[in-house]
Amino acid sequence: DAGVIQSPRHEVTEMGQEVTLRCKPISGHDYLFWYRQTMMRGLELLIYFNNNVPIDDSGMPEDRFSAKMPNASFSTLKIQPSEPRDSAVYFCASTTLRERGRGEKLFFGSGTQLSVL
Amino acid sequence: AQSVTQLDSQVPVFEEAPVELRCNYSSSVSVYLFWYVQYPNQGLQLLLKYLSGSTLVKGINGFEAEFNKSQTSFHLRKPSVHISDTAEYFCAVSPGGYQKVTFGIGTKLQVIP
C-alpha cells in the first residue's frame, strides 16, 4: 500500500490567496483526519470524517477554513483567504475501526508545509 | 474531555544513555494511550500503544512505556539511545472505541554523540 498521500509537499503563497491541500487516504480506511502542526501549539486536530461525512469540525480555526471529502479516496482542506498565521505543516491521517480490539492506529501522510507570505 | 501533558519540550541525552520522556493525561473515561515518533520532514509513526492488560508495553526500536493509572501517566523509556532516535515524540490519548485522538505538544529528543 502506498500509504496516505498528500499534495503538494510544499506550498508558498501570498496573503489573500486561496490554498487547497489534498489528501488520499489508505484504501479501505473509513476515518480521515486533518491536523495542523505549529511550533507554538503542537499538533491540533482540525476536522475528521467518517465514511466521507464530517463528524467533528470544532478544531477548524475560523470560517476561512473548509474541508470536504467527496468520496472515500479523496479529501481537500481549503483556506480562503490565506493569512501569514496559517503557515504551518498540515497533516492528513487515516484509519479504520474494522480491526476493533487492535486499537486505533493513525497512519499519517508526510504533510504539506504551507508558507503564507 | 481529555488532555495530554508532555512535561519536557526538549530532552538532550548522550548516546547509549537511558532516557525517559514523560507524559501525563486526563480523561473522564477509560482511554487508549499512544506514543508516536516524528522524524524530520516526515509524518508521525506509531511507536507503541496501550489498550488494556499488562501495564508495560513494548514498542519498536527498543522503546517501552508503562501505564500508571493512579498517577495518570504513560512515560516512555529506552535503556540505551542511539543517534537515530533523534526525533520528536508525541504522547496521545483516545477514548476507548472512539476515534478522536488528542496529542501532546511533543518532546524533542536530541541524542548527543
Side-chain angles (χ1 to χ4, degrees):
Chain A
D1 199 315
V4 176
I5 300 173
Q6 290 187 247
S7 64
R9 189 75 176 89
H10 301 274
E11 177 80 32
V12 181
T13 190
E14 292 187 345
M15 183 174 63
Q17 296 298 306
E18 178 179 293
V19 174
T20 299
L21 311 181
R22 297 174 178 79
C23 174
K24 177 178 167 56
I26 292 173
S27 177
H29 282 189
D30 49 355
Y31 284 84
L32 184 140
F33 303 79
W34 282 101
Y35 283 89
R36 177 172 68 175
Q37 185 180 37
T38 61
M39 289 288 290
M40 292 298 294
R41 300 172 69 92
L43 201 62
E44 304 172 277
L45 176 65
L46 301 178
I47 185 171
Y48 80 94
F49 296 83
N50 176 219
N51 292 322
N52 314 336
V53 176
I55 302 300
D56 186 346
D57 65 353
S58 59
M60 296 285 262
E62 48 197 275
D63 293 344
R64 297 184 297 107
F65 286 70
S66 63
K68 293 182 181 179
M69 193 165 185
N71 57 61
S73 58
F74 183 65
S75 177
T76 59
L77 178 67
K78 187 176 292 187
I79 308 173
Q80 167 62 21
S82 58
E83 296 183 2
R85 61 194 168 115
D86 301 330
S87 298
V89 180
Y90 291 81
F91 287 103
C92 176
S94 70
T95 191
T96 179
L97 270 183
R98 295 199 190 105
E99 293 188 352
R100 198 161 193 137
R102 296 175 185 266
E104 296 93 340
K105 173 183 176 180
L106 292 176
F107 295 79
F108 281 81
S110 297
T112 294
Q113 173 79 58
L114 174 64
S115 298
V116 183
L117 307 177
Chain B
Q2 56 192 19
S3 66
V4 178
T5 302
Q6 290 184 246
L7 299 167
D8 307 298
S9 59
Q10 291 192 358
V11 174
V13 62
F14 286 104
E15 193 173 16
E16 297 184 6
V19 70
E20 178 179 85
L21 306 183
R22 296 180 293 170
C23 172
N24 288 89
Y25 70 93
S26 67
S27 177
S28 57
V29 298
S30 61
V31 294
Y32 294 163
L33 294 159
F34 308 83
W35 277 97
Y36 282 81
V37 59
Q38 183 181 28
Y39 298 105
N41 300 314
Q42 294 184 27
L44 280 70
Q45 304 171 33
L46 183 67
L47 201 56
L48 52 78
K49 60 188 177 185
Y50 170 79
L51 309 179
S52 63
S54 172
T55 57
L56 184 62
V57 180
K58 294 189 184 298
I60 61 172
N61 301 339
F63 283 92
E64 63 181 31
E66 186 159 17
F67 170 58
N68 188 317
K69 188 174 182 179
S70 62
Q71 297 186 3
T72 60
S73 67
F74 190 56
H75 301 331
L76 181 70
R77 302 186 183 101
K78 186 170 182 178
S80 175
V81 295
H82 189 267
I83 292 289
S84 60
D85 294 323
T86 294
E88 190 160 16
Y89 293 79
F90 293 86
C91 183
V93 61
S94 170
Y98 186 61
Q99 280 301 297
K100 189 170 181 177
V101 179
T102 300
F103 286 86
I105 201 160
T107 297
K108 287 187 171 65
L109 174 63
Q110 183 182 4
V111 180
I112 305 164

